C-alpha cells in the first residue's frame, strides 16, 4: 500500500496556475495539501492531478472545525457544512454531482436559530 503524499501549501516548490491547478516540483500534484498558521493545521485538502478532489476541511486557529465537504475536480459535490467559531452549525449546502448546481441551502445564527432555508424547486 502506497502512503499518501502530503505537502504544505507554503512549500516553495508549490505553484498554482490561473485555473487553480496546483503543481509541486513542476508537475500536477496528487495527494493531500495542508495549510498551517504557526503550528496549527487550518486546512487539509485532497488533490488529484493538480485539482482539489476529495475531502476538504478547515479549522479555526483554536482547532474548532470551520468547514467540511467534498470536491470533485475542484467543484463542490454533495453536502458542505460550516460552523460558527462557537461550534454551532452555521450553514449546510447540498450540491448536485455536477458541482455546478446548488440543490439546497440552510443557515443558522450562532445560537442555532434558522436564518435561511432554501431548496431548489421548492
Amino acid at each position: 500500500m502506497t502512503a499518501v503524499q502530503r505537502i504544505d501549501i507554503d512549500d516553495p516548490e508549490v505553484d498554482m496556475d490561473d485555473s487553480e491547478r496546483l503543481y509541486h516540483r513542476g508537475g500536477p500534484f496528487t495527494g493531500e495539501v495542508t495549510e498551517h498558521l504557526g503550528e496549527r493545521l487550518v486546512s487539509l485538502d485532497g488533490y488529484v492531478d493538480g485539482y482539489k478532489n476529495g475531502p476538504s476541511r478547515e479549522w479555526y486557529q483554536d482547532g474548532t472545525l470551520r468547514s467540511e465537504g467534498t470536491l470533485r475536480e475542484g467543484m463542490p459535490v454533495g453536502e458542505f457544512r460550516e460552523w460558527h467559531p462557537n461550534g454551532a452549525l452555521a450553514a449546510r449546502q447540498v450540491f448536485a454531482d455536477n458541482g455546478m448546481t446548488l440543490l439546497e441551502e440552510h443557515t443558522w445564527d450562532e445560537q442555532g436559530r434558522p436564518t435561511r432555508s432554501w431548496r431548489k424547486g421548492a
Side-chain angles (χ1 to χ4, degrees):
M1 183 173 188
T2 305
V4 173
Q5 185 176 5
R6 183 179 276 190
I7 62 172
D8 191 291
I9 193 71
D10 294 323
D11 182 319
E13 296 186 89
V14 170
D15 195 19
M16 192 172 284
D17 67 17
D18 292 338
S19 70
E20 296 191 15
R21 190 171 192 190
L22 187 123
Y23 295 86
H24 184 248
R25 297 183 179 157
F29 180 74
T30 295
E32 295 178 335
V33 177
T34 62
E35 182 176 7
H36 294 82
L37 284 175
E39 295 297 313
R40 280 280 188 200
L41 177 67
V42 293
S43 73
L44 176 64
D45 295 294
Y47 278 78
V48 173
D49 294 326
Y51 294 103
K52 284 186 178 181
N53 201 78
S56 178
R57 298 182 90 186
E58 294 181 328
W59 294 268
Y60 289 102
Q61 281 187 284
D62 70 358
T64 302
L65 189 60
R66 182 179 191 152
S67 67
E68 70 177 359
T70 302
L71 297 154
R72 187 178 307 132
E73 296 177 1
M75 304 296 285
V77 294
E79 183 177 270
F80 267 75
R81 295 182 294 170
E82 295 178 38
W83 288 268
H84 291 287
N86 69 0
L89 187 62
R92 179 180 170 271
Q93 297 174 312
V94 178
F95 292 88
D97 285 340
N98 67 11
M100 300 183 71
T101 306
L102 180 62
L103 300 175
E104 61 183 271
E105 180 176 44
H106 310 279
T107 60
W108 296 268
D109 66 17
E110 289 185 356
Q111 286 72 46
R113 294 181 296 249
T115 58
R116 175 177 161 83
S117 189
W118 173 87
R119 281 198 176 142
K120 182 178 169 126

